Amino acid sequence: MHNNKETMPELTLLIDSKLGRNRSADGSTFEYALEPALMVPFDAEPTLRVLEANVFYTSPNVSAAKSNNKLKFSVITSGTVAGGDLSTTNHSITFPDGLYSLADINAELADYLERKSTIADAALSFVGHGPTQTVIADWDAEAATYGVILRFSESDSIGPLLGFAATDLTYEIGEGGKHKYFRSPSPANFDAVSLYLLNCSVLSGQNYDASGSGGGQVSCAITPDVAPGNLIQYRPLIPLPCQAHALKGNRTSSIRFTMTDNNNEPVSLNEAYTARILISW
């Protein structure tokens, strides 16, 4: 066992996900080849530290994979819910995978409405309520002249991102008023990722475990402290040592890295991530 830090053998890894083997389709997972293979004595106490890491904050908050990429609504042209004789025209907007703000969603909605001759350009929009971080759906009854059903109950609805419950919201003709406002009961959640967690296959023991599953393979937690689309630069003042018992007494020819979110789910990455890692034993 090596008790003297000054004499501990060390190995520095410069990892780049775009250069890794067996890279996953979403860019979150890859294998880093160790050539030659790493041999750590059985009586050693190996640790792994992330000295620095770089990841672009471009993970989508709207995508087909997240099942939240559609906005569906029906325009009520006649009839009532109570009477069971509703006549509606259905609309559906599919958002391309991406990292959206409320302004981006409104832009896609406005573009759709402008292309439809049967509905007013300003019939529907979303407004943020700053103090509560909620979202208000504004149905312009005067411009549209019809009622509406916001179909947030659909399984692929964008509603939950905006803070709306998975239930349809209805405004019928004749209820009065020039605008009908639906406020989301919960705050909107536009953050695609609260934390980026760099998982490493050789870690074990009492390491950080975001999911509580007991795996303990997280080497560092990276906070998205930049605006969407920018590079997050993780530079810890004191890199924390993580137990890497899987290296003890083994011949290790590769290490698998996976970038996950705070729920320990793999994240979709449009750009490669990199890191400088120190293994000591």
Side-chain angles (χ1 to χ4, degrees):
M1 182 181 299
H2 296 277
N3 293 318
N4 187 344
K5 183 178 179 180
E6 295 181 354
T7 63
M8 291 179 68
E10 296 180 341
L11 174 65
T12 300
L13 309 180
L14 301 176
I15 70 168
D16 187 331
S17 63
K18 71 179 178 183
L19 302 177
R21 305 185 311 192
N22 300 321
R23 190 167 182 258
S24 63
D26 60 11
S28 65
T29 302
F30 71 97
E31 289 182 0
Y32 180 90
L34 294 172
E35 299 176 352
L38 179 61
M39 301 287 293
V40 175
F42 180 78
D43 61 348
E45 293 294 338
T47 61
L48 182 147
R49 292 175 172 85
V50 179
L51 305 181
E52 61 180 85
N54 303 287
V55 57
F56 279 93
Y57 187 28
T58 56
S59 300
N61 57 1
V62 172
S63 68
K66 290 179 176 290
S67 299
N68 69 346
N69 65 333
K70 287 182 171 35
L71 172 62
K72 299 179 182 180
F73 61 96
S74 299
V75 176
I76 301 173
T77 55
S78 64
T80 64
V81 174
D85 58 347
L86 280 181
S87 178
T88 63
T89 302
N90 297 325
H91 296 269
S92 179
I93 303 172
T94 300
F95 295 86
D97 292 3
L99 184 57
Y100 287 80
S101 65
L102 187 60
D104 296 326
I105 292 173
N106 272 323
E108 294 284 337
L109 174 57
D111 181 65
Y112 175 86
L113 294 176
E114 287 174 3
R115 288 186 278 110
K116 296 295 180 180
S117 59
T118 58
I119 187 171
D121 292 351
L124 177 63
S125 61
F126 294 101
V127 181
H129 185 253
T132 61
Q133 297 298 296
T134 55
V135 169
I136 299 169
D138 178 4
W139 178 253
D140 188 341
E142 184 175 33
T145 69
Y146 301 123
V148 68
I149 303 173
L150 301 179
R151 302 206 178 270
F152 290 144
S153 65
E154 300 286 340
S155 60
D156 51 4
S157 172
I158 201 171
L161 181 82
L162 304 176
F164 288 96
T167 185
D168 293 345
L169 302 176
T170 302
Y171 170 73
E172 295 192 53
I173 300 170
E175 289 187 14
K178 296 182 178 181
H179 288 263
K180 174 62 179 179
Y181 300 109
F182 302 95
R183 176 174 289 184
S184 64
S186 302
N189 183 20
F190 288 97
D191 291 334
V193 178
S194 299
L195 288 174
Y196 285 97
L197 306 177
L198 181 57
N199 293 253
C200 179
S201 62
V202 299
L203 296 188
S204 57
Q206 303 301 314
N207 298 315
Y208 178 72
D209 180 16
S211 67
S213 63
Q217 292 194 332
V218 174
S219 60
C220 68
I222 304 170
T223 302
D225 55 359
V226 300
N230 288 292
L231 179 67
I232 307 169
Q233 296 180 307
Y234 174 76
R235 302 292 187 271
L237 182 62
I238 302 177
L240 297 177
C242 300
Q243 296 178 7
H245 290 168
L247 294 173
K248 295 173 62 172
N250 291 317
R251 180 181 182 275
T252 305
S253 59
S254 67
I255 299 175
R256 191 167 187 82
F257 293 94
T258 302
M259 191 71 77
T260 66
D261 60 18
N262 44 291
N263 296 316
N264 217 26
E265 295 291 333
V267 294
S268 179
L269 297 168
N270 297 323
E271 306 285 347
Y273 62 91
T274 62
R276 183 163 62 94
I277 292 172
L278 180 68
I279 297 176
S280 306
W281 64 94

